[in-house]
Amino acid sequence: MKKNIIAMNASIMIGLGSILAAPSVYAESISDLEKQKESILEKRSGVESNISETEKKIDNLQDKQMTAEDQIAAIEAKIDESAKKIDAKNAEITQTKKEIEALKEEIKVIKERIAKRNEVLKERALSFQETGGDVNYLEVLFGSSSFGDLVDRVGAVATIAEADRDILKQHELDKKELEEKQKAVETKLASLEVAKAELLEIQKQQKQQKQEKAALVKKLKQQTEKHEHEKMGLEEEKANLAAQEKAIKSAISLEHQRLAELEAARKKAAAEAKKRAEQEAAQAAAQAASQASESKKQSTSSGYSAKSNSSSSSSSPSPSASNVSQAPAVSSGTFTRPSAGYVSSTMGERWNKQHAGIDIAASGTVPVVAAADGVVSRSYFSSTYGNVVFVTHSISGQQWTTVYAHLSSRQVGEGAVVAKGQQVGIMGNTGHSFGQHLHFELHKGPWNYSKSNAVNPLNYINI
């Protein structure tokens, strides 16, 4: 019984005929499986190379991002330094404006002094015009009553003259000081305003540089996220290829075991036939010629019994099916319908993304079955697919992959051999799903992240 089950599983995986088929057919199937295994290994190597390249891109983008962030930090330090310098210039400008206000008060005092001197000088000039100027000094000198008086008058005249010269000299100094102070503070204020304007322009450029670097960092982050998402998809593809490789190896092992059992059965049948022939020959030689007709009848009866026994031994009990009343009927085509229900979404563009399969919706407890004989390459919970089962099929030398997603529960594990129409799970609403349904994908070849091998199931299955 155990050998019969193993042989049945091998038949399920590779879709071969009865166990009495010619050995060359099996050898061809093993060759096809080996080719599929080599193809998977080659694709897996390519995926690993893509993962390595993607990791390099991510590292490069992260290095650029770190460099840009360091540059932003340096620019921010420069902006802070510029802000401090601007604050210092503002303080100087404020102080200079205070100095200007104080200078205005000084200028006001100087102007008052100049105005007073102007009045004195006007009076003196008027006196000079009225009296003839120096004549007055002569009259003062000649009007002395004595020599001592003359000396006093000469000193007085000299003092007055000196005072006039001092007034004129101070007048000129005050005017010059006023002009110099006004020019100095105006020059200083203008210089500070220019310096402040230059600092503000530098700060503006620095802020612009910061914005550009921030935009670069944002872009680098987006590119990094894109490549990280791509890497995740490639890792998923790598895992699926590894699982498919394992399934193909399992199929090859089962087929080798099947061939060994077939060869053993053939040798046993040949030995039994030879033994029966020898026994019949010995019995025929021992019988008398008179009993030939009776021996012929016995031989015919023996042959009929052998045929009956052979027919009885070749029969095997059919496996019992569970929940078949709710499962869809198994069709005669290459693939059968995976579940009951109606097609709620077809393959094609959906939500600005490619919908790589079809959705079959139904309510209640709905069994999901394998669309064809195969080996379960993956059975796990995915953030997008939810509970999902991947089955690898080898049909007429062509590898196929079917995907059964959003299951409420899975009833087969990785490495399990499943028959066409065998239940693999229950329809559900897990993962990225909106309402109970089965998301079913059919891939001509292995599953990959880009789903480039996906074909429309409606072209292969009558739903």
Side-chain angles (χ1 to χ4, degrees), residues 7-8 18 38 43 51 63 105-106 134 147-148 189-190 196 335 337 343 365 370 382 404 410 416 425 463:
M8 181 186 71
S18 70
E38 292 300 321
K43 289 176 181 176
I51 290 173
D63 288 342
E105 294 298 322
E106 292 181 19
D134 291 339
F147 181 76
L189 182 60
K196 178 183 175 181
F335 298 99
R337 182 189 182 105
V343 177
T365 303
S382 164
Y404 312 81
R410 292 171 278 120
I463 298 181

Side-chain angles (χ1 to χ4, degrees), residues 182-445:
Q182 280 184 322
K183 185 177 180 181
V185 293
E186 287 172 358
T187 301
K188 182 178 180 182
L189 182 60
S191 176
L192 290 171
E193 291 290 354
V194 169
K196 178 183 175 181
E198 290 175 351
L199 288 171
L200 287 172
E201 181 61 27
I202 291 171
Q203 190 181 57
K204 180 181 177 181
Q205 293 174 359
Q206 290 168 344
K207 288 181 178 179
Q208 180 64 29
Q209 290 174 356
K210 180 183 175 182
Q211 289 177 352
E212 291 173 356
K213 293 297 180 182
L216 175 61
V217 168
K218 184 179 179 181
K219 182 179 178 181
L220 291 171
K221 284 182 177 179
Q222 290 174 343
Q223 291 177 345
T224 301
E225 289 174 359
K226 177 185 175 182
H227 287 302
E228 285 176 344
H229 185 70
E230 181 181 347
K231 180 186 173 184
M232 288 175 63
L234 290 170
E235 293 285 1
E236 182 78 3
E237 184 176 350
K238 178 183 174 182
N240 275 291
L241 287 170
Q244 289 175 2
E245 179 189 354
K246 184 178 179 182
I248 293 294
K249 286 181 179 179
S250 174
I252 292 171
S253 176
L254 286 171
E255 183 57 16
H256 278 298
Q257 186 175 353
R258 183 189 182 91
L259 286 174
E261 290 180 358
L262 179 63
E263 181 63 18
R266 187 187 66 78
K267 288 181 179 180
K268 182 179 179 182
E272 289 177 351
K274 182 179 179 181
K275 185 178 180 181
R276 283 197 303 270
E278 290 174 351
Q279 289 175 349
E280 289 174 358
Q283 289 176 0
Q287 290 176 346
S290 62
Q291 296 176 343
S293 61
E294 185 178 351
S295 297
K296 185 177 181 181
K297 292 179 180 179
Q298 290 177 352
S299 176
T300 303
S301 176
S302 176
Y304 176 78
S305 176
K307 288 180 181 179
S308 299
N309 290 336
S310 175
S311 176
S312 176
S313 63
S314 65
S315 64
S316 59
S318 59
S320 60
S322 62
N323 205 19
V324 291
S325 60
Q326 297 183 36
V330 178
S331 66
S332 59
T334 304
F335 298 99
T336 192
R337 182 189 182 105
S339 75
Y342 66 95
V343 177
S344 60
S345 182
T346 58
M347 183 175 178
E349 187 78 13
R350 188 176 75 172
W351 303 329
N352 295 324
K353 292 179 67 178
Q354 180 66 17
H355 188 232
I358 62 172
D359 293 343
I360 303 174
S363 59
T365 303
V366 183
V368 175
V369 302
D373 301 342
V375 173
V376 177
S377 54
R378 295 208 73 187
S379 177
Y380 71 114
F381 185 86
S382 164
S383 60
T384 53
Y385 280 138
N387 280 313
V388 61
V389 172
F390 288 70
V391 179
T392 298
H393 314 272
S394 180
I395 303 172
S396 301
Q398 172 64 52
Q399 181 186 349
W400 297 80
T401 307
T402 50
V403 180
Y404 312 81
H406 307 314
L407 304 174
S408 63
S409 63
R410 292 171 278 120
Q411 297 180 355
V412 290
E414 293 181 4
V417 180
V418 294
K420 182 180 181 181
Q422 179 179 335
Q423 187 169 335
V424 297
I426 300 292
M427 186 185 292
N429 186 31
T430 58
H432 190 64
S433 171
F434 304 97
Q436 178 173 297
H437 70 285
L438 167 68
H439 175 73
F440 177 73
E441 294 179 10
L442 179 61
H443 300 260
K444 193 173 184 179

Side-chain angles (χ1 to χ4, degrees), residues 1-115:
M1 176 63 72
K2 183 178 179 180
K3 290 182 178 180
N4 288 337
I5 292 173
I6 293 174
M8 181 186 71
N9 286 342
S11 177
I12 287 170
M13 177 57 210
I14 59 176
L16 298 173
S18 70
I19 62 172
L20 298 178
S24 61
V25 175
Y26 295 101
E28 184 179 354
S29 297
I30 290 175
S31 175
D32 290 338
L33 290 171
E34 289 288 355
K35 288 178 181 177
Q36 290 176 23
K37 186 181 76 172
E38 292 300 321
S39 175
I40 289 173
L41 287 172
E42 184 179 348
K43 289 176 181 176
R44 188 176 173 186
S45 176
V47 169
E48 288 174 348
S49 176
N50 289 337
I51 290 173
S52 178
E53 289 297 322
T54 303
E55 286 176 344
K56 289 179 181 178
K57 289 178 182 178
I58 291 172
D59 291 340
N60 185 37
L61 288 169
Q62 288 177 341
D63 288 342
K64 289 182 178 179
Q65 184 177 326
M66 290 178 64
T67 301
E69 288 174 347
D70 290 342
Q71 290 173 344
I72 288 174
I75 292 171
E76 286 176 343
K78 290 180 179 179
I79 290 173
D80 291 339
E81 184 180 352
S82 297
K84 290 178 182 178
K85 289 180 179 179
I86 290 170
D87 290 340
K89 291 299 178 186
N90 283 330
E92 288 185 54
I93 289 171
T94 301
Q95 181 61 34
T96 302
K97 287 181 177 180
K98 289 181 180 179
E99 291 175 4
I100 289 173
E101 292 299 321
L103 182 60
K104 286 180 179 179
E105 294 298 322
E106 292 181 19
I107 290 171
K108 184 179 179 181
V109 172
I110 292 172
K111 285 182 176 180
E112 289 176 353
R113 289 205 303 264
I114 290 173

